[in-house]
Amino acid sequence: MPAPPLDTCATDTQAARLGRTLRLFGLTALLCLLVAAVLTLIPPTAGSFWRNLWFSQWIGLWAAVAVTLLRRLPWLQRLPRRAATALRLAVALPLGYVLGYACAYALLGEPVRVVGLRDYQVAAIVATVLSGGFVTYLAWLRQRLADEAAARLLAQKLAVEAELRMLRAQLEPHMLFNTLANLRSLVDEEPAQARHMIDLLITYLRAALAGSRTDTSTLQAEFAQLAAYLEIMALRLGTRLRYRLELPAALQQARVPPMLLQPLVENALKHGVEPKVGGAELVVSARRDDDGGLLLEVADTGLGLAPGHETEPEAGGYGLAHVRSRLRALYGEEASLQLAPRQPCGTRACVRIPA
């Protein structure tokens, strides 16, 4: 699927990682504070609260650092989750104990005494085990929440795509029957035009079938399908429909969701062009915005939005809601569909897709 903007996504990811890391170390420090308090109160552990806190904080800090660094190892990420967790604990706990204990003694200016189970080493061992286990639990919980969020997002995308296929199943037969009815009247009177309409219908159906089998399409393919569809509609409506397709060569291979603009074009024809006496013009265009995103526009000079429906037409709301649902499922809040009146008459629907 199309990716979000790289720079923005990278910045957000780094900020989120930094925030999670700070929260992790903050919670570890609070846990070590609790450990020091418990060890001070429960005999036969000796030593003052501040000395217990000094050792437990250093042990907890190094255990948290070790677990955090180990989680970033690519080969460790490829292991099964339980095996990776066990390996992280097996390495991080002894490493955190030794390094934290050594740092605590060194900064106190005392000889390092790591072996044996003396007063403060009990605090060190308990702090190491608890902080390491706590950090591992937080990492597991965060991963589980991320997996659940990914599963919900996937289910939402599948539901949107299923809804899209249902929409196609409703729209394409209607368009197909109208086209075949026109073909029947043209076969005897204008056989050349009938053959031309059959060629256009084949092009449209081939593009629609290809779009139903893929998650993304190119703007070139989308505009080719729209050209076939609009040409068929132009044969039906005659001089009442004038249309233009404006696709710069630089954007022909840009990736977009398949048949994203089709409901917008159909809305423009049904609610803007066809009801207007004398017909109207419809323009479909694509361009880049200042941030590198795609701006896709369907504009017409038809009747325009009904009074009181400047942000959503009275009819055709399902098609627009469907487009918004697809954009939200694929791009989140970074994509949008905006509907606005066009001066001096008509309607403009603008879709923005992030780079």
Side-chain angles (χ1 to χ4, degrees), residues 4 13 60 93 102 124 127 151 168 234 256 312 315:
T13 301
L93 294 184
R168 290 175 186 167
V256 294
E312 196 78 40

Side-chain angles (χ1 to χ4, degrees), residues 66-343:
V67 170
T68 302
L69 294 179
L70 287 171
R71 290 188 67 250
R72 297 181 179 273
L73 294 178
W75 64 269
L76 193 59
Q77 295 175 357
R78 291 191 292 268
L79 294 177
R81 186 171 301 173
R82 291 184 178 179
T85 300
L87 185 58
R88 282 197 297 266
L89 285 175
V91 174
L93 294 184
L95 188 62
Y97 172 75
V98 173
L99 292 178
Y101 213 91
C103 284
Y105 268 120
L107 293 175
L108 288 175
E110 300 179 7
V112 178
R113 299 186 296 273
V114 178
V115 296
L117 290 178
R118 298 174 181 248
D119 296 334
Y120 312 116
Q121 290 163 340
V122 174
I125 293 173
V126 174
T128 301
V129 173
L130 291 180
S131 60
F134 182 67
V135 169
T136 303
Y137 170 75
L138 288 181
W140 171 83
L141 182 61
R142 184 170 64 241
Q143 185 63 43
R144 180 179 177 180
L145 294 176
D147 292 343
E148 291 177 353
R152 287 194 299 270
L153 181 60
L154 177 61
Q156 184 182 8
K157 291 180 180 179
L158 292 176
V160 170
E161 291 305 318
E163 189 179 6
L164 171 65
R165 292 183 177 90
M166 183 179 67
L167 181 64
R168 290 175 186 167
Q170 295 172 351
L171 295 179
E172 289 175 5
H174 176 73
M175 175 262 188
L176 181 60
F177 293 149
N178 288 338
T179 303
L180 291 176
N182 285 346
L183 277 173
R184 183 179 180 183
S185 63
L186 290 175
V187 167
D188 295 329
E189 300 177 2
E190 300 183 51
Q193 192 173 12
R195 287 193 296 271
H196 181 49
M197 182 175 284
I198 291 174
D199 292 338
L200 293 171
L201 184 59
I202 291 173
T203 300
Y204 173 80
L205 293 177
R206 182 182 292 117
L209 180 61
S212 66
R213 296 176 175 176
T214 181
D215 291 333
T216 62
S217 178
T218 63
L219 275 180
Q220 184 179 22
E222 290 298 294
F223 271 63
Q225 180 181 348
L226 289 176
Y229 173 76
L230 288 171
E231 187 62 24
I232 292 172
M233 298 302 295
L235 291 175
R236 284 181 50 198
L237 298 176
T239 57
R240 295 174 58 203
L241 171 61
R242 304 178 303 279
Y243 72 89
R244 286 185 290 119
L245 299 176
E246 301 176 352
L247 176 62
L251 298 181
Q252 290 183 355
Q253 299 306 312
R255 308 299 297 185
V256 294
M259 293 187 70
L260 181 68
L261 298 179
Q262 182 79 19
L264 302 182
V265 171
E266 293 177 0
N267 271 348
L269 290 174
K270 182 177 180 180
H271 305 293
V273 177
E274 291 186 24
K276 185 176 181 180
V277 177
E281 182 184 39
L282 189 146
V283 180
V284 183
S285 61
R287 66 181 187 276
R288 291 283 185 191
D289 63 8
D290 296 335
D291 297 327
L294 276 177
L295 289 178
L296 309 176
E297 186 176 278
V298 178
D300 66 79
T301 59
L303 288 182
L305 299 176
H309 295 83
E310 284 76 12
T311 58
E312 196 78 40
E314 184 174 6
Y318 174 76
L320 296 177
H322 177 79
V323 172
R324 288 195 174 101
S325 296
R326 292 188 72 198
L327 292 174
R328 185 163 50 251
L330 294 172
Y331 305 101
E333 299 300 324
E334 298 181 4
S336 63
L337 166 60
Q338 295 181 345
L339 208 64
R342 186 184 184 190
Q343 299 301 329

